[in-house]
Amino acid sequence: MKLQSVPSYSQGALDKPLLAMTIGQAFDQTAARYPQGEALVVRHQQQRYTWAQLAEEVDLHARALLALGLQAGDRLGVWAPNGAEWFISQFASAKIGVILVNINPAYRLSELEYVLKQSACQWLVCAGAFKTSNYHAMLQELIPELAEQSVGALDCVRFADLRGVISLAAEPPAGFLPWSHLAMLADEVEPEQLRCREASLHVDQPVNIQYTSGTTGFPKGATLSHQNILNNGYMVGESLGLTASDRLVIPVPLYHCFGMVMGNLGCVTHGTTMIYPAEAFDPGLTLQAVAQERATGLYGVPTMFIAMLDHPQRTSFDLSSLRTGIMAGATCPIEVMRRVISEMHMGEVQIAYGMTETSPVSIQTGPADELELRVTTVGRTQPQLESKLIDAAGNTVARGEIGELCTRGYSVMLGYWNNPQATADAIDGDGWMHTGDLAQMDEQGYVRIVGRNKDMIIRGGENIYPRELEEFFFTHPAVADVQVVGIPDAKYGEEIVAWIKFHPGHTANELELQTWCKSRIAHFKAPRFFKFVDAFPMTVTGKIQKFKMREISIQECQQK
Ligand code: AMP
């Protein structure tokens, strides 16, 4: 068959049925199956739970949330870095049909105000302080009524729905309900009341709102159901072959789907031990967690793996227990994949591709895929899902051609919270989620992501995909990480700028890099400008903020 004649459409396997249960039911099933198995290790809090102990904590806090008056469909915000309470909030709220609202712990006043209002949260769980954020002080500024009114009966001008704030700090200021008091509140609610609530829930109800990073405009709240995220965690774990003997290190943030779906739900559906190495990513603590916990799996966005590979003490950690893991969330450079396999013992590492709006994973490499495909593509369509690539007119392009990736199936979000227009713009009448990512599909259905729609550079009429150039620069021995952006140019329409981070102790100058490009790539692809940096502007989840890089490059290049 000729490559060009086959449309870029593929359907994932249909022989693996979806789980038809709520998140609470799936959690209880695992806790009943492996009561004495280790469920959760939170190293920075020195806490360890068996599945039976974790189930007790989850039920206790679910009853406490019922005592606070939370109804099915109400919203509970969580604004905290990784920790045991994050996990407990996730599963306690799911058990009583409350919608968990993930709030980025790096958010400051205006962003917090926006998401609290937009999601109309009834209760909020917050940390005390973390890094440069003092959560109590920010909330006191935003909600001056907190200190004056009785706990749990907030009547506040700014947030009409908000009734109170639970603090994870040991001794929070007046007006905050300490997390430690929840155990007492639970006594007011009989276990039977919890069982009744659980029995009233169904799998299509919303259980989670995740605000997408939103590089432009206001963040939108992707609203996800039990069916969406439970099954996505399950399918991701199936692809990795997770079992109750596996131990997975989760250094990615829980407020993002990588942590709370691929991590927590991936493990909960397989009885796998979850290991949180720190409140937020730290390369040394993550490597230490792998070594000391004899972990079999490790997750991370590419920049996290780069930081671990370049960690000065890496070789002193015994990583030989590792077998698998996932790199995802952004372009996974081929060289980094190869090094993770050869230098971190992750022979079975997989790449996953997805977005918050699709729960997140829609495409993933598999254990049986050849090495070359596992490092150069994001794999094939996940079970029970469909993918297609379309052109600007909405027609499916032929295999091998570049088109916008669209996803359809169980994992597509219910919609953006309270934003029907944005939902209609993202999900078409046939149920396809338009991702905004450009991709290519080969004859066997393997997908290569070539970049974001808006990141494509058009220089002198030539289409240039930053991904291709980035992969090229990764083959330079001095380059540890690289990002390529386009900036406006009067002569060519756009010019190329490469931001480069060197390996420790390595360097190269602009002329050397230009010369190196000359003999290896077409002249029109060679960057006109280079910028040497120690880090890129990025979100906590490892998303490179190319729009910021573009702004900086425009300013700097104008001065040249
Ligand atoms: P988020 O909703 O924050 O998870 O971001 C989703 C976006 O991350 C996608 O639309 C892609 O642009 C990017 N992304 C996720 N996984 C990958 C991957 N494996 N390769 C390239 N880009 C990815």
Side-chain angles (χ1 to χ4, degrees):
M1 205 182 325
K2 260 183 62 211
L3 189 61
Q4 290 290 315
S5 63
V6 184
S8 295
Y9 166 88
S10 81
Q11 185 169 33
L14 293 170
D15 55 356
K16 200 176 278 297
L18 297 173
L19 301 177
M21 57 179 97
T22 61
I23 288 174
Q25 288 165 337
F27 177 77
D28 284 347
Q29 190 175 294
T30 295
R33 194 174 290 163
Y34 310 106
Q36 298 317 316
E38 195 160 45
L40 177 64
V41 178
V42 188
R43 288 174 57 89
H44 56 284
Q45 295 178 314
Q46 289 92 42
Q47 295 204 32
R48 287 176 181 269
Y49 302 84
T50 62
W51 285 104
Q53 288 165 337
L54 198 56
E56 212 168 285
E57 284 292 310
V58 166
D59 277 10
L60 184 84
H61 288 86
R63 280 162 50 216
L65 295 181
L66 284 177
L68 293 179
L70 281 159
Q71 305 295 322
D74 281 354
R75 273 82 54 211
L76 173 74
V78 176
W79 189 34
N82 289 4
E85 298 89 347
W86 215 110
F87 181 96
I88 293 165
S89 300
Q90 180 184 346
F91 287 80
S93 55
K95 276 212 150 185
I96 62 166
V98 161
I99 304 172
L100 186 82
V101 180
N102 303 2
I103 306 177
N104 186 332
Y107 273 5
R108 292 296 165 97
L109 282 180
S110 71
E111 297 143 324
L112 175 72
E113 179 173 1
Y114 177 79
V115 298
L116 278 182
K117 270 195 186 142
Q118 212 277 333
S119 60
C121 280
Q122 279 79 8
W123 276 87
L124 173 69
V125 175
C126 76
F130 174 62
K131 289 191 177 165
T132 56
S133 292
N134 181 337
Y135 299 100
H136 292 149
M138 283 192 271
L139 282 164
Q140 282 165 327
E141 194 179 330
L142 211 54
I143 316 169
E145 298 93 334
L146 258 182
E148 298 143 21
Q149 299 179 358
S150 53
V151 172
L154 194 64
D155 181 12
C156 135
V157 187
R158 257 203 187 99
F159 308 106
D161 300 271
L162 191 66
R163 292 207 295 276
V165 182
I166 300 163
S167 168
L168 301 182
E171 288 176 13
F176 291 81
L177 175 65
W179 175 267
S180 55
H181 287 199
L182 293 179
M184 281 183 295
L185 278 176
D187 286 341
E188 295 171 14
V189 172
E190 294 297 323
E192 189 49 30
Q193 278 175 264
L194 173 57
R195 274 194 289 277
C196 273
R197 174 68 69 84
E198 288 188 73
S200 73
L201 305 178
H202 63 83
V203 300
D204 293 320
Q205 284 169 331
V207 72
N208 186 210
I209 300 176
Q210 297 187 33
Y211 283 88
T212 58
S213 17
T215 48
T216 52
F218 286 108
K220 297 181 288 254
T223 306
L224 302 156
S225 65
H226 292 261
Q227 147 106 341
N228 284 153
I229 59 175
L230 176 71
N231 279 293
N232 207 256
Y234 170 66
M235 292 300 182
V236 165
E238 284 292 285
S239 178
L240 292 177
L242 291 182
T243 68
S245 324
D246 278 306
R247 298 170 66 74
L248 181 72
V249 170
I250 305 173
V252 290
L254 294 177
Y255 82 82
H256 187 263
C257 34
F258 204 169
M260 55 108 55
V261 179
M262 297 160 69
N264 289 352
L265 284 166
C267 289
V268 162
T269 47
H270 293 86
T272 301
T273 307
M274 297 161 279
I275 300 162
Y276 302 162
E279 283 181 300
F281 176 68
D282 176 290
L285 293 176
T286 305
L287 291 166
Q288 191 181 55
V290 170
Q292 291 181 355
E293 300 290 340
R294 305 301 297 150
T296 59
L298 171 62
Y299 281 179
V301 298
T303 46
M304 292 178 180
F305 280 106
I306 292 171
M308 287 187 269
L309 284 164
D310 271 349
H311 191 272
Q313 271 97 50
R314 177 173 53 83
T315 49
S316 68
F317 295 107
D318 177 4
L319 308 181
S320 61
S321 56
L322 281 178
R323 135 182 111 75
T324 189
I326 294 182
M327 194 187 296
T331 299
C332 305
I334 297 166
E335 284 306 307
V336 178
M337 278 297 286
R338 288 195 204 283
R339 286 189 66 198
V340 164
I341 291 170
S342 64
E343 296 172 39
M344 291 180 73
H345 295 271
M346 293 179 61
E348 297 172 32
V349 66
Q350 298 183 9
I351 292 182
Y353 160 85
M355 69 191 317
T356 307
E357 289 87 337
T358 60
S359 295
V361 177
S362 56
I363 302 179
Q364 190 167 350
T365 59
D369 293 336
E370 277 169 37
L371 177 70
E372 205 49 28
L373 289 168
R374 281 202 290 126
V375 300
T376 59
T377 78
V378 295
R380 289 189 285 191
T381 306
Q382 269 262 6
Q384 307 287 354
L385 292 174
E386 294 168 282
S387 310
K388 70 172 179 180
L389 308 183
I390 58 168
D391 62 19
N395 299 316
T396 305
V397 301
R399 297 263 174 141
E401 284 179 10
I402 292 173
E404 185 191 2
L405 178 56
C406 301
T407 305
R408 182 163 72 176
Y410 79 85
S411 78
V412 173
M413 65 171 176
L414 299 175
Y416 291 116
W417 185 257
N418 237 339
N419 197 342
Q421 185 56 53
T423 306
D425 291 345
I427 306 173
D428 68 23
D430 296 320
W432 289 99
M433 171 76 209
H434 293 239
T435 67
D437 289 310
L438 295 174
Q440 265 174 318
M441 190 183 283
D442 75 8
E443 63 265 52
Q444 289 154 340
Y446 287 93
V447 174
R448 283 182 176 77
I449 304 294
V450 297
R452 296 284 300 163
N453 230 337
K454 57 185 178 312
D455 287 340
M456 192 178 74
I457 302 168
I458 307 180
R459 182 187 179 277
E462 302 273 7
N463 287 358
I464 294 157
Y465 298 96
R467 168 78 202 260
E468 183 196 344
L469 270 179
E470 287 157 6
E471 291 294 357
F472 165 70
F473 278 108
F474 264 108
T475 62
H476 189 288
V479 173
D481 206 352
V482 52
Q483 294 294 326
V484 169
V485 293
I487 57 168
D489 178 74
K491 186 168 174 197
Y492 290 105
E494 277 187 288
E495 264 303 356
I496 306 166
V497 187
W499 287 44
I500 294 203
K501 183 182 162 193
F502 293 114
H503 286 296
H506 287 69
T507 186
N509 63 31
E510 195 159 327
L511 186 65
E512 282 163 354
L513 290 171
Q514 304 271 21
T515 315
W516 186 74
C517 287
K518 240 181 207 152
S519 59
R520 292 175 172 87
I521 49 169
H523 68 93
F524 67 85
K525 290 184 194 166
R528 163 100 180 274
F529 303 107
F530 287 90
K531 181 174 167 66
F532 305 120
V533 292
D534 294 326
F536 305 113
M538 67 168 78
T539 65
V540 199
T541 46
K543 295 278 178 284
I544 307 285
Q545 293 171 305
K546 286 204 167 173
F547 69 102
K548 278 202 184 149
M549 296 173 53
R550 249 178 247 121
E551 283 167 14
I552 298 170
S553 298
I554 291 170
Q555 271 180 7
E556 291 185 356
C557 295
Q558 272 167 355
Q559 288 155 13
K560 282 193 180 172

